[in-house]
Amino acid sequence: MADSPRYMTTLGGHQIARASPVITRLYEDRDLLRLLASILGEAVVAVHDPVERHVLNVLHRPGDTHGAHTDDYPLALVLFLEAPPHPRDGGLLEFHPGRGDLGALDAPGARRVHHRPADGYLLRSDLTAHRVTPLKRTGLRRTVLNFAYTTPGRQGATTSSASLLYN
C-alpha cells in the first residue's frame, strides 16, 4: 500500500465533527447502525478513533487518485457528494469482490464502477482491495464522505495510513 499513489485533498473526522454536528449525528444514527448490522449479519458499531470514523476525500485535479488499499475497519459506507459525469472522466471505484490482495485489482474479475452525485455504496473494505482511478481532465471533482464502521471488540487500526492522510 505504501507504493500506491494517493493524490487528493482530505478532511479527517475530528475536523468534520467540529464543523458539522449533523454529519456526526448521521454517522451515529441508531437506525443506520441497525440497517448496516442487518446487511452485515452481525453487530455494527461506531469507530472510536475520531479521525477515521468519518472522512472527506476530494479528487479535484487531473491525476488525483486514491490508490490501491484495504481499510483498517471492516465497513465503509461511501456517499457521493460530487462525481465526474462520465466513466471516461475517471474517478471510478475499482475493486475485486472477495479479494484483499492488491494485485487482484489487475486480475480477471476486477470491477470498475461509475457513480453519480447522491450515490452510495457499502463495502467490506478490510477484505476487499479497492482504489479510485485518476481524474482525466481539469474541471472534474469527486467528493465522497466515507463512514467507517467496525464490529464489537475490533477498535484498533491495523495501519498508520489514516494518521498520515487525515491529520
Side-chain angles (χ1 to χ4, degrees):
M1 288 189 295
D3 294 336
S4 191
R6 286 177 175 73
Y7 304 118
M8 62 185 158
T9 300
T10 63
L11 192 62
H14 59 304
Q15 296 164 317
I16 293 169
R18 283 194 301 267
S20 178
V22 171
I23 291 175
T24 300
R25 282 195 304 272
L26 176 60
Y27 174 79
E28 295 171 343
D29 184 81
R30 290 181 186 180
D31 290 333
L32 177 57
L33 289 169
R34 278 193 290 270
L35 173 65
L36 296 175
S38 71
I39 292 168
L40 184 61
E42 62 181 294
V44 172
V45 297
V47 169
H48 290 309
D49 183 343
V51 174
E52 285 202 66
R53 56 181 18 202
H54 38 65
V55 299
L56 193 68
N57 295 328
V58 183
L59 281 60
H60 56 97
R61 294 176 298 256
D64 275 4
T65 184
H66 193 168
H69 65 285
T70 56
D71 292 352
D72 286 330
Y73 297 101
L75 292 177
L77 176 61
V78 179
L79 307 171
F80 284 77
L81 307 176
E82 299 176 290
H86 302 288
R88 68 180 175 269
D89 291 328
L92 304 175
L93 170 67
E94 290 187 321
F95 67 102
H96 197 299
R99 300 264 313 262
D101 57 301
L102 303 185
L105 294 170
D106 297 315
R111 298 182 186 165
R112 283 187 169 185
V113 181
H114 174 253
H115 293 94
R116 299 186 187 284
D119 281 355
Y121 65 85
L122 181 63
L123 182 67
R124 181 62 196 251
S125 54
D126 64 333
L127 300 178
T128 306
H130 54 286
R131 65 183 168 205
V132 178
T133 64
L135 294 182
K136 301 289 187 179
R137 59 184 173 83
T138 302
L140 299 172
R141 291 180 65 91
R142 181 187 192 269
T143 303
V144 300
L145 182 61
N146 183 346
F147 286 174
Y149 293 100
T150 192
T151 54
R154 183 173 171 187
Q155 283 293 338
T158 57
T159 70
S160 62
S161 64
S163 63
L164 299 173
L165 287 172
Y166 301 106
N167 277 336

